[in-house]
Amino acid sequence: QVQLVESGGGLVQAGGSLRLSCAASGFTFSLYAMGWFRQAPGKEREFVATISRLGSHTYYVDSVKGRFTISRDNTKNTVYLQMNSLKPEDTAVYYCAEHKSPYASASSRTGDYVYWGQGTQVTVSS
């Protein structure tokens, strides 16, 4: 069965960096676009970044452009989110997700993702 396991979250001061990883199993990883989303307390889950199946296309929410970088290693079935210049407003639980369709383009729409990890907490102190 599909499994997505996030890691790398933690507590960091504003201006610091974290690298999230999401290890995938149970499906042919290289056929699917992947996404990172986040959910802060009392808020809806929001799109953060997405990457096409071969890594050639990436898209970001405006609030993280220039600070976050999504990447993937299809030989390791892993997608990453490098987060630099972190701000307190980046505090949230971060989730990785698998697109619902093979060969589909990268997408920012929550409804296009069918499998989700359990999430990893990122806390940025001011």
Side-chain angles (χ1 to χ4, degrees):
Q1 71 278 22
V2 174
Q3 280 196 313
L4 299 170
V5 180
E6 301 97 336
S7 61
L11 173 63
V12 64
Q13 288 189 331
S17 298
L18 285 173
R19 188 194 197 202
L20 305 184
S21 299
C22 173
S25 61
F27 64 103
T28 305
F29 183 71
S30 62
L31 296 185
Y32 292 83
M34 298 293 294
W36 282 98
F37 294 76
R38 67 186 179 186
Q39 188 167 18
K43 295 188 176 181
E44 292 188 354
R45 189 169 299 187
E46 68 166 350
F47 164 75
V48 176
T50 181
I51 187 166
S52 58
R53 66 182 190 92
L54 299 182
S56 54
H57 295 92
T58 58
Y59 304 97
Y60 301 88
V61 67
D62 285 348
S63 59
V64 308
K65 284 180 181 176
R67 300 188 298 121
F68 290 12
T69 303
I70 188 172
S71 62
R72 65 190 295 163
D73 185 339
N74 287 350
T75 67
K76 296 182 179 179
N77 288 358
T78 301
V79 61
Y80 305 96
L81 186 67
Q82 177 67 45
M83 305 186 296
N84 299 328
S85 302
L86 282 160
K87 303 175 180 180
E89 52 263 43
D90 294 318
T91 295
V93 178
Y94 284 71
Y95 300 89
C96 70
E98 175 200 356
H99 197 285
K100 63 184 179 183
S101 302
Y103 303 104
S105 300
S107 170
S108 63
R109 294 188 296 266
T110 304
D112 283 343
Y113 293 84
V114 62
Y115 290 105
W116 298 80
Q118 83 289 348
T120 185
Q121 176 70 46
V122 172
T123 303
V124 185
S125 63
S126 58

